[in-house]
């Protein structure tokens, strides 16, 4: 009984965290599913978003401006990866890793802005002193401070904007690029530009998630993005496993990513309450994501063997 | 219309895989020319079409369309002038997008893409009408994902998309080779119809000598990256498969390499 109560108690926090990481998962969906590019920039740009937002807020910049700056910083990171990939011919995965690595140093410097050493690995920000939009402190309060009142509208608005964007001529050309690059070029689409654009949008969303998450947890940390890509993929895959049959509309597919992220954090709470150590969470997440990524492939291999075997036997 | 001047292309230069795929090709196409292209496997037919479409840059030579030198224009910019259908039916369409969305992509070839709607209601209605021409019932499946269509249906759709905004040049690369004979005949008939109705200028690669003779007003034969035969007008009408085989042996000093060519 106490197990269930403590699990229920952790639900508001898990769902709020899921909503924030859901924004990140939508960003991953745009690169991984729409553009068909595996982008590892996100592990760095998540922290970049947090660092930019927190340092600006600490220096008295109004929150909307800080959030926009965070998004722009993430987009810049995505642009660097995109240019490394398209203009410099470096494979997408490696481009992302390079940007991510560079961002590690850059993030330290952003967080250390104005300090003597000019570099910092952790930057706290207190809800008591600053006007933060979301904070875990109020996640169970029935008050105007409750983070849901910000997170739900933000998620809905973002999905609406993306739904509109991917229905435009530019959005359609991004989708075509991911679906069939040679076809896209034959139809006059500059696939280099669409890829850079997609990476920018994706990392802008990831940075926004980082900015919100830093406020939510009350600090920004240099390691907060470690493994973020895997969590994003987990959310995307959970969303697809649960809803791919019913959600065909693009807006619903994006919503499925957010729901996937929420389910992910609920499951995490569940296994933590069952006694799993937080140290082992990343191992568990990696194993689960690896399984889900491998299953469709292994299914095909199995099917192919089966069909072949059947033919030779006949 | 199209002016190809002495173009060369070597793949993997300086390695053991070095391949001189185009060895000084020159070709002048007049407005309304419908040229069929034949030649053995590896003769450089696809490479010639790719060079014109701009898949990569050529080593030397010039390509001019309607007086505009496009030699250094990237592929997506040349697309404004060129409609293409590939051999692989999967190549020409986006499987995860709807039929109407694919057509809308083709309709915007050569136009600036903006934040206005990727497909309008009006367009959708016009696509429905145009799809009827294919006679495959696709007009009732406008919002179906292209990945659900058969190879023949996809190739017919690609054909329609290629001619949607009347390109200056149509490039068809063995676009019926992967289809079953009946579907291949349908798609070929469709190509003929589009080309003559819209008075298109077209280059069609085919492995089928009979088709090469029966279609178009001019025929070229390629071997080892060169054009070894160029026949048009009355001469082409009188041509037979045996003539072509004899010409090939005479010009290249070897037997025609592709068995497929003899099949039909
Ligand atoms: N992208 C490429 N890279 C390397 N070699 C190529 C490439 N494209 C074509 N080739 C080579 O160039 C030669 C001509 O090929 P291709 O034009 O495809 O012949 P075909 O006349 O059968 O269409 C072949 O030897 C082929 O292997
Ligand atoms: Mg070929």
């Amino acid at each position: 009984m106490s197990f269930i109560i403590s699990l229920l108690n952790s639900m508001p926090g898990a769902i709020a965290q899921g909503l924030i990481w859901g924004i990140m998962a939508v960003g991953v969906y745009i690169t991984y599913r729409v553009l068909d590019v595996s982008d590892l920039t996100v592990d760095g740009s998540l922290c970049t978003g947090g660092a930019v937002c927190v340092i600006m807020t600490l220096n008295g910049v109004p929150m909307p401006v800080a959030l926009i700056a965070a998004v722009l910083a993430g987009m810049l990171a995505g642009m660097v990866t995109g240019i490394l990939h398209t203009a410099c011919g470096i494979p997408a995965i490696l481009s992302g890793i390079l940007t991510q690595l560079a961002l590690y140093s850059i993030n330290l410097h952003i967080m250390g802005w104005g300090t003597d050493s000019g570099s910092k690995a952790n930057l706290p920000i207190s809800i008591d002193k600053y006007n933060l939009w979301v904070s875990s402190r109020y996640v169970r309060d029935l008050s105007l401070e409750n983070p849901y009142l910000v997170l739900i509208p933000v998620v809905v608005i973002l999905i609406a904007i993306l739904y509109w964007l991917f229905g435009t001529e530019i959005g359609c050309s991004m989708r075509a690029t991911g679906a069939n690059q040679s076809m896209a070029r034959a139809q006059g689409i500059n696939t280099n530009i669409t890829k850079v654009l997609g990476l920018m949008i994706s990392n802008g969303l990831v940075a926004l998630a980082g900015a919100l998450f830093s406020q939510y947890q009350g600090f920004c940390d240099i390691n907060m993005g470690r493994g973020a890509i895997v969590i994003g993929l987990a959310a995307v895959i959970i969303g697809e496993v649960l809803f791919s049959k019913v959600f065909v509309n693009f807006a619903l597919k994006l919503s499925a990513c957010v729901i996937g992220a929420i389910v992910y954090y609920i499951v995490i709470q569940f296994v933590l309450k069952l006694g799993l150590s937080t140290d082992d969470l990343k191992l568990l997440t990696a194993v689960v994501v690896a399984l889900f990524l491998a299953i469709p492939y292994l299914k095909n291999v199995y099917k192919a063997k089966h069909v072949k075997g059947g033919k030779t036997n006949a | 219309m199209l002016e190809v001047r002495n173009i060369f292309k070597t793949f993997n230069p300086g390695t053991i895989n070095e391949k001189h795929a185009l060895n000084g090709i020159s070709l002048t196409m007049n407005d309304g020319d419908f040229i069929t292209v034949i030649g053995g496997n590896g003769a450089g037919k696809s490479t010639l079409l790719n060079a014109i479409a701009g898949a990569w840059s050529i080593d030397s030579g010039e390509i001019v369309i309607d007086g505009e030198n496009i030699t250094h224009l990237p592929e997506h910019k040349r697309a404004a002038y060129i409609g293409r259908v590939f051999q692989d039916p999967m190549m020409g369409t986006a499987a995860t997008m709807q039929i109407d969305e694919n057509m809308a992509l083709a309709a915007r070839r050569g136009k600036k893409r903006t934040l206005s709607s990727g497909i309008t209601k009006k367009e959708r209605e016009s696509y429905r009408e145009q799809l009827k021409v294919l006679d495959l019932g696709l007009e009732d499946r406008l919002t179906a994902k292209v990945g659900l269509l058969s190879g023949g249906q996809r190739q017919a759709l690609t054909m329609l998309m290629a001619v949607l905004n009347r390109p200056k040049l149509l490039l068809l690369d063995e676009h019926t080779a992967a289809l079953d004979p009946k579907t291949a005949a349908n798609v070929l008939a469709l190509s003929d119809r589009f080309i003559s109705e819209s008075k298109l200028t077209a280059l069609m690669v085919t492995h089928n000598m009979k088709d090469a003779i029966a279609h178009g007003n001019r025929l070229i034969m390629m071997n080892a990256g060169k054009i070894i035969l160029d026949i048009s007008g009355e001469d082409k009408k009188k041509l037979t498969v045996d003539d072509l085989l004899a010409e090939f042996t005479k010009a290249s000093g070897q037997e025609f390499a592709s068995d497929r060519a003899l099949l039909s």
Side-chain angles (χ1 to χ4, degrees), chain A residues 27-78:
Chain A
V28 170
Y29 183 88
I30 288 170
T31 46
Y32 186 68
R33 278 291 182 239
V34 179
L35 271 189
D36 196 20
V37 167
S38 302
D39 175 33
L40 296 185
T41 316
V42 297
D43 281 24
S45 58
L46 189 88
C47 176
T48 306
V52 167
C53 176
V54 171
I55 196 78
M56 289 183 96
T57 309
L58 289 174
N59 284 283
V61 174
M63 187 52 75
V65 180
L67 285 175
I68 289 172
V71 171
L72 291 177
M75 291 177 83
L76 188 64

Side-chain angles (χ1 to χ4, degrees), chain B residues 137-153:
Chain B
L138 297 184
E139 61 274 15
D140 301 321
R141 301 173 65 189
L142 270 189
T143 57
K145 294 273 189 315
V146 167
L148 298 172
L149 307 185
S150 70
Q153 289 173 325

Side-chain angles (χ1 to χ4, degrees), chain B residues 37-249:
Chain B
V37 186
I38 54 169
N41 287 330
K45 307 180 294 292
S46 300
T47 307
L48 173 63
L49 264 56
N50 284 332
I52 296 170
W56 18 252
S57 57
I58 51 176
D59 301 336
S60 64
E62 277 187 334
I63 301 167
V64 179
I65 283 190
D66 253 358
E68 184 185 347
N69 190 329
I70 61 162
T71 315
H72 301 291
L73 221 54
E75 185 176 11
H76 67 270
K77 288 205 175 135
R78 295 188 201 190
Y81 313 120
I82 297 172
R84 287 169 84 184
V85 185
F86 309 91
Q87 176 169 354
D88 180 355
M90 306 302 142
M91 280 271 281
T93 43
T96 53
M97 296 175 78
Q98 301 172 5
I99 293 179
D100 54 356
E101 290 174 330
N102 269 272
M103 294 182 74
L105 285 170
R108 283 160 180 75
R109 200 168 54 222
K111 300 196 179 106
K112 192 165 170 50
R113 286 165 214 256
T114 65
L115 287 175
S116 56
S117 183
I119 178 168
T120 62
K121 259 215 182 83
K122 218 175 103 199
E123 276 183 86
R124 214 169 255 138
E125 285 321 303
S126 108
Y127 297 154
R128 197 190 300 282
E129 285 310 306
Q130 298 186 53
L131 281 166
K132 286 182 184 159
V133 175
L134 303 184
D135 202 18
L136 294 169
L138 297 184
E139 61 274 15
D140 301 321
R141 301 173 65 189
L142 270 189
T143 57
K145 294 273 189 315
V146 167
L148 298 172
L149 307 185
S150 70
Q153 289 173 325
R154 280 181 82 159
Q155 206 64 328
L157 177 62
T158 310
M159 191 65 226
L160 181 61
M161 285 162 56
V163 300
L164 208 54
N165 44 8
R166 196 174 179 277
K168 290 187 173 177
L169 180 64
L170 180 64
L171 300 176
L172 308 172
D173 190 358
E174 300 204 42
H175 67 309
T176 60
L179 308 176
D180 65 78
K182 189 162 165 280
T183 317
N186 285 343
V187 171
L188 193 57
L190 206 58
S191 317
D192 243 350
R193 179 174 162 189
F194 284 142
I195 292 169
S196 62
E197 273 178 6
S198 312
K199 300 191 176 57
L200 299 173
T201 308
L203 261 176
M204 178 173 89
V205 177
T206 173
H207 60 266
N208 185 313
M209 292 205 177
K210 274 189 181 163
D211 286 344
I213 294 168
H215 299 267
N217 63 325
R218 190 172 155 194
L219 178 151
I220 62 177
M221 183 187 273
M222 290 182 65
N223 186 50
K226 288 197 170 98
I227 293 176
I228 55 170
L229 188 70
D230 187 340
I231 302 176
S232 52
E234 288 307 309
D235 291 343
K236 173 165 180 292
K237 286 185 188 143
K238 285 184 293 203
L239 216 54
T240 65
V241 171
D242 288 334
D243 291 342
L244 282 180
L245 290 174
E247 284 290 345
F248 183 85
T249 312

